């Protein structure tokens, strides 16, 4: 259980960290690449939350799943807008 909690925390920190790092590169193509990395971390987080629910480590929280979906949509939207500006 402890290792799963560590992985969840690592992913949760990785998402905004990659967004910030990509933004600071001041290069749109690199920024998009870091946004894709953030999406990967979000996918990991989504999987780990689902596993935690299935094994009874955390209670099923609809709001948590909705937040993950909202963040995913926001990242895809940002990527789309940035690609249009290239």
């Amino acid at each position: 259980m402890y290792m799963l909690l560590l992985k969840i925390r690592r992913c949760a920190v990785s998402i905004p960290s990659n967004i910030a790092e990509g933004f600071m590169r001041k290069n749109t193509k690199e920024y998009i690449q870091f946004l894709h990395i953030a999406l990967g971390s979000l996918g990991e987080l989504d999987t780990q939350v689902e596993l935690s629910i299935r094994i009874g480590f955390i209670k099923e929280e609809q709001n948590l799943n909705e937040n993950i979906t909202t963040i995913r949509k926001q990242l895809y939207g940002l990527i789309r807008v940035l690609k249009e500006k290239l």
Side-chain angles (χ1 to χ4, degrees), residues 8-10 12 22 39 50-51 56 58 65 67 80 83 86:
I8 289 171
R9 286 182 178 166
R10 182 181 52 88
L39 277 169
E50 181 63 32
L51 289 171
I58 60 175
N65 291 332
N67 288 341
R80 187 184 69 251
K83 283 184 175 180
L86 286 179

Side-chain angles (χ1 to χ4, degrees), residues 6-19 41 45:
L6 286 177
K7 289 178 95 39
I8 289 171
R9 286 182 178 166
R10 182 181 52 88
C11 287
V13 169
S14 178
I15 296 163
S17 298
N18 277 296
I19 294 167
S41 295
L45 178 63

Side-chain angles (χ1 to χ4, degrees), residues 34-82:
F34 276 89
L35 292 174
H36 282 288
I37 294 168
L39 277 169
S41 295
L42 184 63
E44 284 184 65
L45 178 63
D46 192 17
T47 300
Q48 291 158 5
V49 166
E50 181 63 32
L51 289 171
S52 296
I53 292 168
R54 289 182 185 198
I55 63 175
F57 185 57
I58 60 175
K59 293 181 181 179
E60 187 167 1
E61 299 267 345
Q62 187 64 26
N63 192 29
L64 186 57
N65 291 332
E66 288 174 5
N67 288 341
I68 290 170
T69 299
T70 298
I71 294 167
R72 182 177 291 117
K73 288 177 182 178
Q74 290 172 338
L75 286 172
Y76 277 124
L78 180 55
I79 290 168
R80 187 184 69 251
V81 168
L82 291 171

